[in-house]
Amino acid sequence: MPARIGMTIAESTPSFSPRPTPPPGAPNVVVIVLDDVGFGQLGCFGSDIDTPNIDALAGEGLRYNRFHVTALCSPTRAALLTGRNHHSVGMGFLSDVPIGFPGYDGRIPSSAATLPRILKDNGYSTFAVGKWHLIPRWEQTAAGPFDQWPLGLGFERYYGFLAGDANQWTPELVCDNTFVDPPSTPEDGYHLTEDLVERSRQLILDQKHARPAKPFFLYFAPGAMHAPHQAPQPWIDRYAGHFDDGWDRWRERMFAKQVTEGVVPADTVLTERPPWVQEWASLCDDERRLFARQMECFAGFLSHTDDQIGRLLSVLDDIGERDNTIVMLISDNGTSAEGGPIGSHNEHRFTHDRLDDFDDSLSRIDELGGVRAYNHYAWGWAWAGNTPFRLWKRFAWLGGTRTPLIVSWPGAIESTERGSVRSQFCHAIDLFPTLLDAIGLQAPSTVDGVDQQPVHGASLVASLNDVDAADPRDTQYFEMLGSRAIFHDGWKATTDHVGRQVSIEQELVTGSQDFATDRWSLFDLRNDFSESTDLAADHPETLRTLTDRWWVEAGRHQVLPLDDSFIGRAIALEPNPNPPVHLSRYLPGAGPINEDALPGMGGGIVVHANVQVGDRADGIIAALGDWNSGWALYLIEGAPTVTFNLFGNPVTLRAPISLDPGDHRVTVRYRRDRHGSGGGPIGIEVDGAEVAAGSIDDDLPFRWQIGGAGLRIGHDAGLPVCDDYEIPFTFDGTIVDVVFEQPMFAPRTSAPPSEEIGAALHRE
């Protein structure tokens, strides 16, 4: 009813716009999304790694042992938040690689309103903390647009990192829509998971202090257990010697525990070790020592993460809301084999298709898990961590797509059911309708005037107190990087497609590069929990029915066109909205400049720095990344110096002069040797005259960091690029500007180089 306006308030009748209110007694919701955790790696799913807080959560709730995801991180997160299949919401692959096809553009459409948006519209507070990884590559900068950032997709507050992984000691953080530095340093004991938990607790407490009756939704996504496997040293050291008998024996012990505790059926077959994973007994002593230490780092990281999850969930007891809170814990895909056959001291090498050197990794074994490493374990541990399945992340086999799901809701799950196992076939898309159903809401048909896509998932609420509840759906397709599978009425068909995903796999695994010649295997998952026995020859009609159905589902959900590589997508990659230009200018005083906003350095670059120095001349002029991968231009006692740290291998060139007081232009040139295998000459000039010359043996990468610090002018933060200096190493003179020149885009002119730069800079 509209307000009635009279001469005075006494003669008037007020009216108020309705405020959204949740259903009576609506529960709080906490969704915990772990990264790269395999089916067997949690204690309550068979592991002997200590996870007492997660185990306690399972003990007061339920474990789902036939829960499925998409086999990769961005797609699973999109499916969870929208209730739709990943291709149907544009997330057929990583959001970092948006390509020009509907299923792969890396953008959740407005026709698939997210869970936080719906809950916010119904009176919830909504918080996201941790990994996001749902923004197209070119939109992860301070310029936005921000519609695919957490606040643009329904969350009211956000604190975390946007990229696929983060250095646990020095992450590139965002608060709401602003890049921020971590609140402390590694020297002060900073660790990302601890910071994320502290911020989550603060958000919950602030909300409950202000509006005690208002429910909240917290989406908590730590960087764990994605590489780098970094944790405080005492957590790693507690596992010293624990894995010395290797991945074969660890897998056997895990499987025995899974059967004993009912996590897998008693008749489950333990799948064989793939031939490209070495038998532990065949390894030499040095290999065993290095690989065991890699796993100690992972285990310490997981136990530390569990400890922090316990600290997060304790806030529910502090505010008296444990019984009325739904907690769901999942992993976004199976274990990661991206460490390759020998593991990696520095995972940045994997992203640039480089292999680690075993002798180098062994010599630096004591650095694993700390600030000097960006480490990942050997893929034998990935295989074992997915017990009892074969393969891992990125594949449509169960090792990539079946992960733990724990659901706790003490106020609704009957005490006689708590701690038990559920075996309904379910998927990440089912969590969205399950939560809406549990709260008492329905997915809206329109949002902001936009008709909504059908929700593909179905509710699991019936299974909370009924072990025999039916599966929510009878069909689910899978596709990731050309690896394909489909589940229907208890059967699963899976291709043998391997593709060109990792060069070492291409060498060690036989698989077709041609989708038309892929072989499909057939499994009866009703009687074959581990996908161990291929029945394709026995049931050709069933196999044909399933493969035909896969193509129908592919058409419905925007799966085509298929591609089995990272590189192959480059031809369809969305253009950078910052097209290459001859000159790009950067000024001091800004925050870190995201690398996606910078010119690429691979293929050749010139960096000009206009500076004013006094009697002393030291400090950073420009720096990007750190000693895992990065570069820096700086002065040491007045001597112009540049260091290119190529994935942990620094190359430093220092001029044999010191700058006199006054104005100077310091220039660094790198020219790629286009007739060689990469690399080329580098040089330093001062005021146009070359003062130092050298070379590097490898080309500079087009992207230095996976998700690390951006370019900083006048200081550095986080970890240094090399040991020449300590953070922040602030420049003690004045930096006028730093100009990146890409000679290949230079305008054709006969003007002298200095005049050309000035004129072009003025134009651009």
Side-chain angles (χ1 to χ4, degrees), residues 509-638:
V509 188
T510 58
S512 170
Q513 305 291 341
D514 181 357
F515 299 108
T517 61
D518 284 350
R519 181 184 182 278
W520 290 79
S521 297
L522 180 68
F523 304 94
D524 180 3
L525 294 191
R526 296 162 297 189
N527 302 300
D528 181 7
F529 182 85
S530 62
E531 197 177 37
S532 66
T533 305
D534 183 2
L535 301 177
D538 299 328
H539 300 276
E541 291 301 320
T542 301
L543 179 61
R544 186 175 301 110
T545 297
L546 263 67
T547 55
D548 289 346
R549 185 176 289 271
W550 186 91
W551 287 104
V552 172
E553 294 295 304
R556 287 181 57 208
H557 296 291
Q558 307 180 154
V559 178
L560 304 179
L562 297 175
D563 187 86
D564 62 6
S565 70
F566 293 87
I567 301 300
R569 297 169 193 266
I571 62 172
L573 185 65
E574 178 181 297
N576 188 337
N578 293 323
V581 295
H582 180 209
L583 302 169
S584 304
R585 185 174 181 234
Y586 304 99
L587 305 177
I593 305 164
N594 186 279
E595 194 168 353
D596 285 329
L598 298 171
M601 302 185 79
I605 193 75
V606 182
V607 180
H608 305 278
N610 294 301
V611 300
Q612 299 170 352
V613 300
D615 293 335
R616 292 188 67 249
D618 285 290
I620 292 290
I621 297 173
L624 185 149
D626 55 35
W627 51 35
N628 294 298
S629 184
W631 68 272
L633 172 61
Y634 50 99
L635 302 184
I636 293 283
E637 297 182 349

Side-chain angles (χ1 to χ4, degrees), residues 4 68 141 165 192 239 279 316 461 466 586 602 606 652 661 670 682-683 708 764:
R4 184 175 64 85
H68 299 81
T141 73
D165 67 44
L192 175 59
Y239 286 100
E279 182 182 8
L316 302 177
V461 166
D466 182 1
Y586 304 99
V606 182
T652 298
Y670 162 63
I682 55 176
E764 296 176 10

Side-chain angles (χ1 to χ4, degrees), residues 111-156:
S111 57
T114 62
L115 180 64
R117 171 61 197 271
I118 295 170
L119 295 184
K120 182 180 71 171
D121 289 351
N122 284 276
Y124 271 70
S125 295
T126 56
F127 318 128
V129 176
K131 173 175 171 174
W132 186 239
H133 207 196
L134 290 171
I135 306 173
R137 176 174 181 177
W138 313 121
E139 298 180 8
Q140 298 181 31
T141 73
F146 299 101
D147 57 305
Q148 297 293 312
W149 290 43
L151 270 59
L153 288 174
F155 287 106
E156 296 170 301

